[in-house]
Amino acid sequence: MTSELDIFVGNTTLIDEDVYRLWLDGYSVSDAVALRVRSGILEQTGATAAVLQSDTMDHYRTFHMLERLLHAPPKLLHQLIFQIPPSRQALLIERYYAFDEAFVREVLGKKLSKGTKKDLDDISTKTGITLKSCRRQFDNFKRVFKVVEEMRGSLVDNIQQHFLLSDRLSRDYAAIVFFANNRFETGKKKLQYLSFGDFAFCAELMIQNWTLGAVDSQVDDMDVDLDKEFLQDLKELKVLVADKDLLDLHKSLVCTTLRGKLSVFSEMEANFKNLSRGLVNVAAKLTHNKDVRDLFVDLVEKFVEPCRSDHWPLNDVRLFLNQYSASVHSLDGFRHQALWDRYMGTLRGCLLRLYHD
């Protein structure tokens, strides 16, 4: 009697997404096994505890070997040791470079140095994220920063090219690199209500309009450094509040247009000059590094908090900022329209994002 036996041999590397998540989250093998048992996997599969332990250890060994390739994602695509389908490669890379909102908010705007890395113990305790995961996320931020900080071309494109991340994650990393380079303050108590998404939104506007790349696409680190000449020129905007006639005319134009359209018209009219001085003085101070770092603190103090204390609805803020920006074009004595548009176009978008009524 003869028996027929079909045998299939393959060398595709198997990736268990759940185990990969546990490894990325910094759990030890024993903790990962315990969590898998709690999920009911033994009952679902009929496996023994010993098999589950062996399976988890095997996956962890694979992930450790893959990690050096994940540090330079193009290498993962071109290596021949691990046979991993392209869709799985993309998943491994994207999840390796993903980060926790709570973690990025703790380090956003800080220098990506050994000094900050020493704080990871405290950040881990505060956020509940394992120290191992905090280190992975911090090292990823630092790695991307070092690779792209002095490159020519679009920051987002460079990140996508060298780390093979999705468009959304590349944009998030661009914001992290931009904030780390310019050291924007994000940790003050009055800024805690803002999410990473709020800051990333503002970073994208500033990269598009306030950096060297906004005027010259061929310079090094064009999307990383703010345009110093532009920041110097912003001092010219002071005339809008220093010249009493211009200030009065600006107020008159805004009030005439918005009368009957704002629920807080009286409050706006009474506070117009203070709000205008605040917005213009923020621009005039951006020649100093410290004032650049304090940009978001100043915007909240000079505009968001006064409007919030008077209970401005978000739509009133939007109507005011639109008219406040546009009416400058009707001031005959003002000669810096293009500079004003470059400044206020970005600032208006940021303020609307920062304002939570």
Side-chain angles (χ1 to χ4, degrees):
M1 180 179 175
T2 60
S3 299
E4 290 187 3
L5 184 64
D6 292 329
I7 298 175
F8 174 78
V9 178
N11 64 346
T12 300
T13 302
L14 299 177
I15 304 294
D16 186 305
E17 293 182 32
D18 293 331
V19 181
Y20 187 48
R21 168 51 57 200
L22 293 170
W23 179 73
L24 289 175
D25 286 344
Y27 290 107
S28 65
V29 171
S30 59
D31 287 341
V33 169
L35 287 167
R36 296 184 79 190
V37 168
R38 227 173 289 160
S39 73
I41 194 170
L42 295 182
E43 292 79 9
Q44 296 163 19
T45 62
T48 65
V51 169
L52 187 66
Q53 173 86 11
S54 177
D55 178 69
T56 305
M57 288 180 66
D58 187 48
H59 275 97
Y60 267 50
R61 277 192 294 269
T62 300
F63 299 147
H64 284 303
M65 289 187 286
L66 286 170
E67 189 163 23
R68 64 182 179 80
L69 298 172
L70 289 166
H71 290 171
K75 290 183 179 179
L76 179 63
L77 268 62
H78 299 123
Q79 56 79 39
L80 300 175
I81 299 171
F82 301 97
Q83 301 302 307
I84 304 172
S87 61
R88 279 295 201 211
Q89 291 177 343
L91 179 144
L92 287 170
I93 295 166
E94 190 79 0
R95 293 195 181 175
Y96 188 79
Y97 283 90
F99 52 82
D100 292 294
E101 163 90 17
F103 177 76
V104 73
R105 275 298 278 114
E106 292 295 322
V107 300
L108 188 65
K110 292 183 179 178
K111 193 172 183 180
L112 299 174
S113 63
K114 290 181 180 178
T116 303
K117 195 167 185 178
K118 288 178 183 176
D119 297 333
L120 295 184
D121 278 322
D122 293 336
I123 293 174
S124 173
T125 301
K126 180 179 178 180
T127 61
I129 300 167
T130 65
L131 180 58
K132 192 170 182 180
S133 182
C134 287
R135 286 174 177 158
R136 172 182 61 81
Q137 295 177 60
F138 180 83
D139 289 342
N140 285 345
F141 295 166
K142 187 174 180 179
R143 185 181 307 111
V144 173
F145 181 89
K146 281 190 168 184
V147 169
V148 303
E149 65 172 323
E150 295 183 0
M151 282 186 173
R152 290 189 178 188
S154 160
L155 185 54
V156 174
D157 290 348
N158 287 335
I159 292 170
Q160 283 186 306
Q161 179 183 345
H162 288 82
F163 292 93
L164 309 179
L165 305 181
S166 66
D167 180 70
R168 181 64 270 159
L169 192 54
S170 295
R171 290 180 185 280
D172 286 344
Y173 267 88
I176 292 165
V177 169
F178 182 69
F179 267 65
N181 184 70
N182 292 288
R183 306 287 300 282
F184 291 111
E185 173 62 59
T186 67
K188 290 280 178 69
K189 186 176 180 181
K190 63 180 57 195
L191 300 179
Q192 289 306 303
Y193 76 97
L194 296 169
S195 67
F196 168 73
D198 294 329
F199 287 117
F201 178 86
C202 295
E204 192 161 346
L205 287 178
M206 287 189 280
I207 288 170
Q208 290 170 355
N209 298 295
W210 288 6
T211 59
L212 290 166
V215 290
D216 185 351
S217 61
Q218 295 303 311
V219 294
D220 293 340
D221 48 339
M222 64 175 223
D223 282 353
V224 178
D225 289 336
L226 292 167
D227 182 351
K228 293 291 193 294
E229 186 175 338
F230 164 66
L231 298 183
Q232 288 287 339
D233 289 344
L234 287 175
K235 290 187 292 186
E236 302 294 341
L237 301 182
K238 284 226 41 159
V239 68
L240 285 171
V241 293
D243 185 315
K244 185 177 182 304
D245 292 337
L246 271 182
L247 180 57
D248 287 342
L249 180 56
H250 192 189
K251 176 180 177 179
S252 176
L253 288 169
V254 172
C255 290
T256 299
T257 303
L258 294 181
R259 191 178 303 276
K261 297 179 181 178
L262 299 186
S263 62
V264 290
F265 180 83
S266 298
E267 291 85 349
M268 181 278 291
E269 187 176 34
N271 209 25
F272 178 90
K273 291 184 178 180
N274 287 333
L275 292 175
S276 188
R277 288 191 185 101
L279 295 176
V280 171
N281 286 336
V282 165
K285 292 196 306 178
L286 290 178
T287 52
H288 307 292
N289 288 337
K290 182 185 182 305
D291 292 308
V292 170
R293 287 199 294 269
D294 285 341
L295 173 63
F296 293 97
V297 176
D298 289 340
L299 292 179
V300 169
E301 285 183 352
K302 306 297 185 186
F303 186 85
V304 173
E305 288 180 345
C307 292
R308 193 185 286 153
S309 67
D310 281 338
H311 308 291
W312 286 42
L314 179 58
N315 193 53
D316 280 12
V317 175
R318 181 179 290 105
L319 288 171
F320 170 77
L321 287 173
N322 288 345
Q323 191 55 40
Y324 176 77
S325 303
S327 60
V328 165
H329 289 271
S330 300
L331 299 176
D332 291 336
F334 186 63
R335 297 286 179 265
H336 307 286
Q337 310 288 5
L339 180 67
W340 173 255
D341 288 344
R342 187 179 176 188
Y343 173 66
M344 275 306 298
T346 293
L347 204 72
R348 182 173 65 241
C350 287
L351 287 170
L352 288 171
R353 185 66 185 238
L354 300 182
Y355 192 82
H356 295 191
D357 61 342

